[in-house]
Every structure is written in C-alpha cells, then in structure tokens.
Amino acid sequence: MRVELRHLRAVCEIADAGSVTKAAARLGLATPALTTQLQRIERIFGGRLFDRDHTGVRPTELGELVLARARVLLPAAQGLEEEATRLAESLSQPAEPAAYRLGAVNGPLIGGLVARLSADQPAARITSHPSWSTVELQEMLLGDKLDFALVGMCGGALGEARSELSARLSWELIADAPVFILLSADHPLAASDEVDLAQLADAFWAATPGDGCFADCFAAACARAGFAPRPIFETDVGGCIDLVRTGDAVALCQPTFRGSPGVAVVPLRSDGLRWRHLIGWRPGSAASAAADQVVGHARSAYADAVARSTAYTRWLRHHPEPYPAR
C-alpha cells in the first residue's frame, strides 16, 4: 500500500484538531473508522505519527516530518488540480472567432474582400472603415485601430509625405491597372474603343478626393499629351456621375467601374497613367499571421470585379497584362 493525498489530509486534520474524535467529526467519519485509517497510515510510514493521551494527540518526531512535507504537498496538489481544470476548460471551449478590421479608400476591393472573408470564416467579426485619406489609414494601422488597409496610388511609392509611415508597414501589390474615364452617353467619344488624353484637352474634370499623388500624376500625363488640364472637381462618386451625366465634366475612374445609366465607361490612352491597388498591415501585429490569406482573398475579389466590368474585360483582350499583380 502506498501513501495517498487523502492520507496526508487525514494526518493534517488530526494534527490541527488535536484529537482523532474532533478530526473525525470534521471529516464526516466515525471515530473508529478514522482510528483504523490512521493505523494503516502509520504502518505505511513505519511508525507512530501521534502520541495519544487523555488530553488528545501530539505529533511524534516522525509525525512532524510527515506533517511538514504534507503541508507543502497538499497546496501544490490543489494548485495543480485547479490549473489543470482551467486549462482543460479553456481547451474545451470553441475557438474565439477571428476579427478583421478593414480600412479602405474608394475602390473595388472592400466589398469583395468582406464577402470572401465572411464566406471563408462565417463566425469572423468583420468591420470596415471608409476613408479618403491613405495617411489616416496608415496611422490607424500603426495605432492598432485597423488590421488591414486597402489603398491606391498612381506612382511607384506611397508618396514622400507618407514615406515614414509607409516604411513601418508591410505592403502587398494587388493589381496594377489602367485609368478609364466616364463620359456622358451623348458625348461624341462615348462609343470609342479608347480615347487619347489629348482629345480631352478642353474638358472639365471630376474625380473622387484623396490625399495621394494622383492629381500630380494626372497633370504630368496631360503635360506629356501637350496641354495643361483644367482644375479637377473633387466630389463623391455620386457627384462625379451627376457631373458626367449632364455633360458638365469628364470623370476619371477605375476600369472596374460597372457603369451607370446615361454614362459610358471608356478606356483612356495615356502615357504612364496607372492606378495601383495595395493592401497594408503592421508587421508583428496579431493580424499579420493572416496576411497571406487576406491578400489571396483581395486578389480574388479584384479578379471578380474585373470579370464584372465589360469595358475592362474587352480592353484586356487587346492589352494583355499580368493581373492581379504577383
């Protein structure tokens, strides 16, 4: 027979109570039963643990040794039991649903990305934050207020003013696309397969706002085409469409734009004017472990947007290029 924790508890209870009778009452046992148990415990340890007389019991030298070890072992065993129980309970609980905090400038990716993440992880909590400012989105990434940000740019970098922020983030190129225009359905060039930028030298222009370099890139493209553009009216998507539909402006747009009644989506032939879609995140963040998966969904979402655009798919048949970017 080997010593068990229950034996040590009984020895400690007898010592604390000062008598077998009182200890038996505390343990809910009959006094003869505890007396018999104590005798078995003493046989295990090879000697008497208590001296007994009419005043009660006192630990022997052997009893003091057993009690000293028991008072260390019993709390340790209790702590082990509690820790193991907590761990077992946590392991049996269903995993906490993933969470994705997405920020995005105006573009074709956010809706498709949310749809794909939701289909792939139905329990995931997905929130989105729209913004016209890539600076704001980058600051939110660095401040752990966003997990991923979808931004756009026309140059080869996120701009000098944002280089310090950008360098602290990880970026993946999703697509490198041409720039298209929106013309009134009544415009003389509305049925064109492609419009040269120089053909629109006298046009008023409209575009959605932003803090990127697109205005500078557009002005440079117009200069290469031989003219200086009139100032761009910045307004939301609905405002741009209204200006185009009434013939008051030509709007710059992404090739994935799906069109609107009274408006024609026409490819723009220009020297080097492009629009690049990127996704960014903070290295080392909890969300960075899912970056490859999110990038894959973003590229698939862009491919879906391209497939829905008649004008873009027609243009791509005559201008094959690698997209989405790899």
Side-chain angles (χ1 to χ4, degrees):
M1 186 175 178
R2 301 182 66 86
V3 67
E4 300 175 15
L5 291 176
R6 62 187 180 90
H7 297 148
L8 298 179
R9 292 191 184 95
V11 171
C12 289
E13 193 64 47
I14 292 170
D16 292 341
S19 78
V20 174
T21 300
K22 292 179 180 178
R26 292 181 182 181
L27 293 172
L29 298 173
T31 300
L34 183 56
T35 300
T36 300
Q37 185 179 89
L38 177 58
Q39 292 170 349
R40 286 197 297 266
I41 295 170
E42 289 177 327
R43 284 196 295 271
I44 294 172
F45 285 113
R48 288 186 301 107
L49 300 181
F50 296 97
D51 288 327
R52 304 171 182 83
D53 59 26
H54 67 280
T55 62
V57 298
R58 294 180 302 280
T60 63
E61 185 176 352
L62 177 60
E64 293 285 3
L65 172 65
V66 172
L67 283 167
R69 297 294 190 273
R71 297 192 192 282
V72 173
L73 291 172
L74 289 173
Q78 180 67 26
L80 172 62
E81 181 180 339
E82 292 173 355
E83 289 182 26
T85 299
R86 286 194 296 269
L87 177 59
E89 289 176 350
S90 68
L91 293 175
S92 66
Q93 296 296 321
E96 184 73 13
Y100 298 94
R101 299 169 298 172
L102 309 176
V105 295
N106 180 49
L109 290 172
I110 185 64
L113 178 56
V114 169
R116 285 183 168 273
L117 283 172
S118 298
D120 186 42
Q121 301 178 55
R125 301 189 304 276
I126 303 172
T127 58
S128 62
H129 175 80
S131 176
W132 296 115
S133 171
T134 57
V135 170
E136 179 191 22
L137 295 180
Q138 290 177 86
E139 290 175 341
M140 292 181 72
L141 286 174
L142 292 171
D144 195 32
K145 295 179 181 178
L146 289 177
D147 298 315
F148 296 93
L150 300 164
V151 304
M153 65 181 184
C154 60
L158 285 175
E160 293 297 328
R162 289 169 295 282
S163 59
E164 182 180 350
L165 292 176
S166 305
R168 296 161 61 189
L169 298 169
S170 293
W171 296 98
E172 192 71 28
L173 181 64
I174 301 301
D176 187 344
V179 174
F180 280 19
I181 55 173
L182 300 180
L183 296 173
S184 167
D186 298 328
H187 195 284
L189 299 174
S192 303
D193 291 331
E194 196 170 43
V195 173
D196 194 294
L197 186 56
Q199 294 176 270
L200 299 168
D202 296 328
F204 289 94
W205 296 91
T208 53
D211 58 7
C213 58
F214 186 78
D216 293 335
C217 293
F218 176 66
C222 292
R224 291 191 294 270
F227 70 98
R230 296 183 179 186
I232 297 177
F233 298 118
E234 288 193 342
T235 183
D236 59 16
V237 175
C240 287
I241 292 174
D242 287 340
L243 285 169
V244 170
R245 186 179 289 122
T246 59
D248 293 319
V250 174
L252 297 157
C253 72
Q254 297 176 28
T256 51
F257 187 83
R258 296 174 65 181
S260 179
V263 172
V265 182
V266 182
L268 180 66
R269 184 168 56 247
S270 63
D271 181 13
L273 189 60
R274 309 280 299 180
W275 190 251
R276 309 176 75 215
H277 297 275
L278 298 101
I279 187 167
W281 62 92
R282 180 169 59 85
S285 65
S288 63
D292 288 345
Q293 179 185 30
V294 174
V295 168
H297 283 316
R299 287 179 171 149
S300 296
Y302 188 80
D304 291 342
V306 172
R308 291 192 297 267
S309 172
T310 303
Y312 196 10
T313 53
R314 182 171 58 245
W315 185 90
L316 284 172
R317 284 197 292 269
H318 301 288
H319 302 80
E321 57 181 37
Y323 103 88
R326 291 292 190 269

